[in-house]
């Protein structure tokens, strides 16, 4: 199973010190670079910003070049669109982790 996360679950679980739940449940999480940028942004909680050196189970990917399949979702932010585009790209590529 491929698991792609956007900023919200990563941020909130790290904030309360429960990010280990993701490792235990899924083993590996994928996130686009845009999400990583949001996690490192000024104003993010210190417990989240420490991920400048990410845990080994969090796999960062360059933002998908083609977000056209998810642009119809105008009500979601750029990080969520990038996560959806990455999920589609990994599924299409048949990624197995």
């Amino acid at each position: 199973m491929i698991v792609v996360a956007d900023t919200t679950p990563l941020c909130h679980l790290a904030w309360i010190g429960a990010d280990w739940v993701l490792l235990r449940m899924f083993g590996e999480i994928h996130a686009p670079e845009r999400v990583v940028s949001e996690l490192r942004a000024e104003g993010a909680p210190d417990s989240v910003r420490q991920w400048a050196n990410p845990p080994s189970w969090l796999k960062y990917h360059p933002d998908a070049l083609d977000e056209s399949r998810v642009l119809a979702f105008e009500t979601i932010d750029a990080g969520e669109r990038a996560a959806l585009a990455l999920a589609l790209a990994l599924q299409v590529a048949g990624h197995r982790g």
Side-chain angles (χ1 to χ4, degrees):
M1 169 175 37
I2 298 168
V3 178
V4 176
D6 72 348
T7 307
T8 301
L10 295 173
C11 182
H12 287 115
L13 287 171
W15 194 10
I16 64 170
D19 52 324
W20 58 269
V21 170
L22 296 170
L23 172 62
R24 192 144 314 147
M25 289 180 69
F26 305 112
E28 184 174 88
I29 305 293
H30 301 268
E33 189 61 38
R34 192 168 297 154
V35 166
V36 175
S37 296
E38 290 176 2
L39 292 171
R40 294 177 180 161
E42 192 68 34
D46 288 340
S47 58
V48 175
R49 293 184 73 213
Q50 73 179 345
W51 282 13
N53 297 312
S56 61
W57 51 264
L58 185 58
K59 307 299 181 191
Y60 294 162
H61 297 266
D63 289 336
L65 297 176
D66 181 13
E67 290 186 20
S68 61
R69 293 174 66 183
V70 296
L71 287 177
F73 298 102
E74 294 176 5
T75 59
I76 63 175
D77 71 23
E80 292 166 334
R81 280 194 306 274
L84 285 170
L86 176 60
L88 289 169
L90 292 176
Q91 286 293 120
V92 168
H95 183 77
R96 297 286 180 235

